[in-house]
Structure formats: structure tokens, C-alpha cells
Amino acid sequence: MLDKLTKSSDIFIDSAKPNLIEIGKRQLWKVEPTSIAKNCKNLIRDVVENLDLQPNPEKPVIALSLGDPTIYGNLKPSPETIKALIDVLEEGNANGYNAGIGSELARKAVAEYLSFDGVQYQSKDIILCSGCSCSLELCITALADPMLGHHILMPRPGFPIYQTIAECFGVEVKYYNLIPENNWEVDLDHLDSLIDGSTAAIVLNNPSNPCGSNYREEHLRNILEIAHKHRVPVIADEIYDRLVFPGKKFTSSAALHSGVPILVCGGLTKRFLVPGWRLGWIAVHDEIGAFEHVRKSLVNLTHRIIGSNTLVQAALPAILQTSPLFHQEVIQTLVSNAHVAFDYIGKIKGLIPFMPEGAMYMVVEIDMRHFPNFENGLEFCKQMMAEESVFCLPGECFQIPGFMRIVLSVPKAILEEACERIAEYCNRHYVD
């Protein structure tokens, strides 16, 4: 027995029993998590939890931090969406399992929904997932192999779920810069310089979280030209597709027919205001046949999730026919709030807002030179919560210190109140 034990003082670890340690004559449980579990970290949650936020008890909390458009109740799903799900429930024919990739009827509906601007999808190109985050996980898992030393490229600033997924599986993440003064467009030279033989994929988020940017067709072409030159596939996170402001046009990366194989990720979450329904998709856009084996691997990976919500799948054909007027009203709310926030924050000393063109967020730069009491944006946002009970996500959550992100989907009156409190806070701490 002793030859199997490693001794450290009076502690013995039995290599044949990894979940057991012996201390003297006592035996204790010691169950260790896997490296995958240890590596799984959500940057936003890590940052927020470590801030130990304590709001001002004399002021109600205003959360401008959560990207959930339903949280305040002012934005609700369309009547068509609600009726579609009620009808499915009453019919009672969608309570069982479907194929892992989703039902044929639901995938056909998604294919038709995504077929615009010259792009034509078929049901065989669609894989349904449990939310867009699940779609992203399947794509990253299918393309990036940690055993081969692969890495993926993601935007900075960017939504940290890409990092969470990749690093969980031991895949390295590298960041390509976005340029604030150019509407957060990609620094093309920097992107190009990061690509090597180990680059498994470029993650392209458009419209952007957190930036609210919506890329011009020409800029998208430039990005895809770099991907084509290096023969690197693209994972296009288009969860905010068509959620762009009046006068702007959303262009899917697939619509440019660049010859780059693209996995387009999307879902119902944002545009249809049902994040909790967990219905996402992957659309395989492959004009050159490069994804022959990837398609099969994606199907294999769906066996892990046993398909997405079958009730929502059955309702999809009706949900995706929601009236354009509904979407226009949602966008109008976001546009109106964006102007309120931009005009108000633009007058606050020490803050520089960036007007978005889509999605539901605004990035605000904090000129830390004028707030010497704070070492960084984390401290700035923490103290703003303590004094004014207003919480915005600090830029550190998105790899851009010295910024913060505010959510624009809250009721207008609450947003105005938040802006007033932010102004009072900044005036209190601003130093010339």
C-alpha cells in the first residue's frame, strides 16, 4: 500500500484513489474538478463579483449593465410570438425529443428567414442550438483544437463569451483591436498581423456588443479579404442582425460571397425579445465546400445537447413571421434612448459617449485624468454604484480599461434618472 502513497508530512495521497486523501489515520474526500471546469470563467461575472458592489441604500438601484432587453418590462415579445407558443402548447404535439440539429420544419423556417440580400440557405444548412451562446460554443469546438495549439481571434473590445468558451477547452484567444474613432471598425493591419498557421478562426461580431457598431459593406469586405488571403474561416456572431438604426443597413457577412467559409450564429434572443427561450442557430455558409467535414462534426456535437427547446422550435415558423412594425417599434425605442443618453452624457465633464448605430448598447469613455481618485474604470464604476446606485459594466469586462458600457433598452424615464445621477457623480469627483 505504502508504495502507492506520496507522503507530505502526515498527509498521504493514494494515486489509485484520486478522490481520497489520508491524514494520519483519517480518510477524507478530496474530489478535484477537471481542467475544463477550472478554465471556465466568465469575465463579466468575475469582474462584477470581485467588485463587492454595495448600492446607496437611499437610492433605488438602476442597472444599466445587463444585456437583457426584458428586465424592466417595457420591451415585450410581439403578440405573434406569444400566440405562436400558446398554440403549440395547446396542440400538445411538441413535447417530445427532436433530432439534435432541430426539426426539419423549424430549420426550414430559419433558412427562409436568413435568405435575403442574395443569400440562399436550405434547411440542411441550419443547426438549431440552445441559445446563441450554444451556437458559438459548437462553432469554436468544431474549428479550434487545443491539441494542435490552435487559437482564435476575437475583437477588443468584444463580448467575453468567446474567451469563456475557448479557454474552457484550452484554446488560446488573441485579440484584434477595434478603432473607437472609426466607429469601432477593425484595425485591419493589426488583424492581419495576428494570423499564423495556428489561427483556427476569426470571430466577427456585427452589429457589435458592446460597441453598438454596424459595419459598412466595404469594411466587411476588407475583413473577409484578410480571412481569404490566409485561408482562415470566420465565425460570424450576428445575434443583433437587422437590429440597426434608421438610415443604416445590416449586411450579413454571408451576403458578400467572399469565398470564405462562414459559420453564422444567431437566434431569437435580441430581435424577438425572448432571451430566456434559448433558441439559437448556426447557418453554414460555404460556397467552396471547405466545411464538408465541419458540417458532420457540428451535427455530432449536437448529440451533446440533445437538441434545443422543442416548443420554441415548433413555434418558429410563426415567430419568424412577426410584423415588421413590431421590429421598427423596438428599434425606435433604442434609437430614442440612444439620443437621450448621448446628448446627456455628452455634456458631462470627463465622459465621452460613442453614438451607436445598432444593437442596444453605448460605450462611454472615462477620461481617467480628470478622476484622480480612481485608479481605473473598475473603481470608478464601483464607487458610482456606492454613491448613486447606478451600475454600468466597466470596460475591463470587454478588454478596454477606461471605458464603460450602458444598456439602452431600459425605460426612458429610468435612463434619464440614471444620466442625472451619473452627472452628479462625475461633477462630484471631476478635477480639472
Side-chain angles (χ1 to χ4, degrees):
M1 177 71 175
L2 287 177
D3 62 338
K4 296 181 180 179
L5 300 178
T6 301
K7 183 175 181 180
S8 175
S9 183
D10 62 344
I11 299 176
F12 296 88
I13 302 174
D14 190 341
S15 59
K17 298 178 180 179
N19 295 333
L20 180 69
I21 60 174
E22 296 186 6
I23 303 178
K25 295 182 179 181
R26 292 184 300 154
Q27 291 186 335
L28 302 177
W29 283 87
K30 185 179 184 298
V31 182
E32 287 293 320
T34 65
S35 59
I36 290 178
K38 290 179 180 178
N39 291 336
C40 191
K41 297 179 181 179
N42 184 307
L43 185 58
I44 289 179
R45 295 191 184 274
D46 278 355
V47 169
V48 172
E49 289 173 2
N50 289 331
L51 282 178
D52 186 26
L53 298 170
Q54 299 295 331
N56 184 338
E58 297 181 359
K59 297 185 178 183
V61 172
I62 299 178
L64 300 182
S65 54
L66 295 177
D68 181 347
T70 71
I71 194 167
Y72 280 96
N74 58 312
L75 294 177
K76 300 179 183 296
S78 70
E80 298 101 315
T81 296
I82 300 300
K83 183 178 184 301
L85 193 62
I86 290 174
D87 288 347
V88 167
L89 282 166
E90 291 179 342
E91 290 166 3
N93 297 323
N95 297 319
Y97 288 123
N98 267 333
I101 59 174
S103 72
E104 171 67 20
L105 188 65
R107 289 186 292 119
K108 181 180 179 182
V110 173
E112 292 174 352
Y113 171 77
L114 296 177
S115 293
F116 65 97
D117 282 352
V119 180
Q120 291 296 320
Y121 289 107
Q122 300 177 40
S123 59
K124 67 181 179 66
D125 301 318
I126 307 300
I127 295 173
L128 300 184
C129 304
S130 187
C132 189
S133 58
C134 177
S135 306
L136 292 163
E137 179 178 334
L138 296 191
C139 291
I140 292 172
T141 305
L143 295 180
D145 191 337
M147 301 299 292
L148 299 177
H150 285 168
H151 64 257
I152 65 169
L153 303 181
M154 66 169 279
R156 177 170 54 207
F159 190 51
I161 192 66
Y162 317 126
Q163 177 185 352
T164 298
I165 294 168
E167 293 184 350
C168 177
F169 293 106
V171 174
E172 183 184 3
V173 172
K174 296 184 178 181
Y175 303 91
Y176 60 86
N177 293 331
L178 307 184
I179 306 172
E181 58 271 23
N182 287 357
N183 192 33
W184 301 100
E185 290 187 344
V186 174
D187 183 332
L188 298 172
D189 291 335
H190 187 230
L191 172 64
D192 188 67
S193 71
L194 293 174
I195 300 175
D196 59 30
S198 296
T199 307
I202 299 169
V203 177
L204 175 61
N205 179 208
N206 182 57
S208 165
N209 175 11
C211 305
S213 55
N214 174 55
Y215 290 154
R216 299 172 293 117
E217 180 177 316
E218 179 185 359
H219 186 60
L220 284 172
R221 288 190 185 279
N222 291 335
I223 296 168
L224 293 173
E225 284 177 6
I226 291 173
H228 190 274
K229 178 179 71 172
H230 292 282
R231 301 297 191 266
V232 177
V234 167
I235 300 173
D237 181 357
E238 297 183 358
I239 188 62
Y240 296 96
D241 75 323
R242 287 174 267 191
L243 199 60
V244 297
F245 294 177
K248 306 298 178 181
K249 180 181 183 299
F250 165 72
T251 300
S252 173
S253 55
L256 302 181
H257 305 290
S258 62
V260 175
I262 303 171
L263 298 178
V264 179
C265 297
L268 295 182
T269 298
K270 307 299 183 179
R271 191 170 187 237
F272 292 87
L273 305 179
V274 286
W277 290 15
R278 311 310 301 144
L279 197 293
W281 54 69
I282 301 168
V284 181
H285 180 74
D286 181 20
E287 300 169 312
I288 58 176
F291 276 156
E292 176 186 356
H293 299 298
V294 170
R295 285 177 183 265
K296 296 176 182 177
S297 296
L298 287 170
V299 173
N300 291 341
L301 287 170
T302 65
H303 298 160
R304 290 165 44 196
I305 61 173
I306 319 296
S308 59
N309 189 304
T310 55
L311 295 172
V312 183
Q313 284 188 46
L316 262 179
I319 292 173
L320 294 176
Q321 294 299 317
T322 293
S323 166
L325 180 61
F326 166 79
H327 297 299
Q328 292 169 13
E329 291 175 348
V330 171
I331 289 173
Q332 189 53 50
T333 296
L334 297 174
V335 171
S336 177
N337 283 354
H339 283 292
V340 167
F342 185 80
D343 292 343
Y344 209 122
I345 295 174
K347 298 173 184 176
I348 300 174
K349 293 187 296 185
L351 298 185
I352 305 169
F354 291 81
M355 185 66 182
E357 294 184 350
M360 53 183 64
Y361 312 103
M362 176 179 290
V363 172
V364 178
E365 184 175 1
I366 308 165
D367 191 341
M368 300 305 301
R369 297 171 301 176
H370 294 291
F371 300 100
N373 292 335
F374 306 110
E375 184 176 339
N376 51 44
L378 284 170
E379 291 187 1
F380 180 94
C381 290
K382 177 181 178 180
Q383 189 61 26
M384 187 165 68
M385 181 67 155
E387 294 183 22
E388 298 295 340
S389 294
V390 174
F391 184 55
C392 304
L393 282 184
E396 283 81 354
C397 292
F398 308 99
Q399 300 290 330
I400 48 165
F403 290 79
M404 62 182 179
R405 187 199 75 173
I406 67 174
V407 174
L408 300 171
S409 56
V410 303
K412 183 179 179 180
I414 292 178
L415 181 62
E416 291 174 336
E417 171 68 16
C419 288
E420 290 177 4
R421 293 193 204 174
I422 293 172
E424 292 175 5
Y425 174 73
C426 288
N427 290 336
R428 192 177 305 131
H429 293 279
Y430 183 88
V431 177
D432 282 324

